[in-house]
Amino acid sequence: MDYPKSVPGVGLVNGKFIDENTSTGQVGSLIPSAWGSAVTDELLNVISAAGYEPDETKSDQLLVAIKKLLKDGGVEFATKDDAEDGTNTSKSMNPLRVFQAINKIVVKATESVYGIAKIATQPQVTEGADDSTIVTPKKLASFVGDPWALQPIGVPIGLFTDIALDSVPPTNKSYRYISLSADDGYNKGVLTGEIVTGTGPLLEATAVINLPGSPLNGKTVRLINTERRVLRAGLSGTVQSDQSQGFVFASPDGQPLVFHSSGASVPSTGTNAGREAAFRTPDGAVWRTPIVADDGTNGAPRVGTETRSKNIGVTIF
């Protein structure tokens, strides 16, 4: 079978048919009836040889016929079971079946068995769950060289982000940190349901972790950067507001401190029983409000809207 090169005036260009092009004056090739019939007969002969009746309405007969002729002629492709079984000597093997056959019999190396070893990918090294692959020095160095990948889940880490803005954990790794701050762009897509209520220092801020696949997915966390909450040992997760230990002013001998006021009497009953009337105004009509005053030794008292110790702020992740 070939192009009709011997037919005069067929109009082949470089040995092949060409379309008519009116803009260039190119005349289109002709397809002689004899050649067209020959091509059709070539195809029909294959279909007929396979035992099928040519059908003008079907477009897959040639493919079906070729497959049947290959099988009838002894050319049959192996199945996966054939490849793994490895006993058939008459069926042909495509690349997939060859791989399946090798994979079936190759012994994989373990700690106690010699065989073919598989090299771990970087995500496998980072995840640390696969015990059947080998870690190369380069991938190990890449993992160990990333300190953020070595931190346990759920550990709060305080960073001086004001002096080292590029020190925050990356967001494009197989792990993901969150900033314990409300309305923080760093948390885009990984926190949901943020709630901030109250005013400082009694401010409450929470959010829900949105990280499918993470053991913390769906857990509610305290946004302690926003709350300005201090971490305290014991009773993990228990939330408490600030307070001062209850106390009274007392004299050196341990008795309630007595404030004297001339001309006033001491209440004998009620919530003010035992207190001197010095807590009232001189005429006894209004109770005085105690104030925090300089003791003359330690300087002016430092007072404000919260109870706190000397501190420095960090951003906790």
Side-chain angles (χ1 to χ4, degrees), residues 76-79 83 91-101:
E76 184 178 1
F77 287 100
T79 64
K91 295 182 180 180
S92 297
M93 297 269 283
N94 57 35
L96 174 60
R97 298 292 182 248
V98 173
F99 171 80
Q100 291 168 336

Side-chain angles (χ1 to χ4, degrees), residues 83-138:
E84 292 182 343
D85 181 61
T87 59
N88 187 283
T89 59
S90 61
K91 295 182 180 180
S92 297
M93 297 269 283
N94 57 35
L96 174 60
R97 298 292 182 248
V98 173
F99 171 80
Q100 291 168 336
I102 295 175
N103 189 61
K104 176 69 174 180
I105 63 174
V106 167
V107 177
K108 296 181 180 179
T110 68
E111 296 177 57
S112 59
V113 176
Y114 293 104
I116 300 299
K118 182 180 179 182
I119 304 298
T121 63
Q122 192 64 60
Q124 286 176 314
V125 175
T126 301
E127 183 181 10
D130 192 331
D131 194 33
S132 63
T133 54
I134 292 177
V135 178
T136 63
K138 180 179 179 180

Side-chain angles (χ1 to χ4, degrees), residues 29-54:
S29 301
L30 301 177
I31 298 180
S33 59
W35 182 87
S37 296
V39 171
T40 304
D41 287 339
E42 288 266 6
L43 301 177
L44 294 179
N45 286 338
V46 176
I47 296 173
S48 297
Y52 298 114
E53 183 69 26

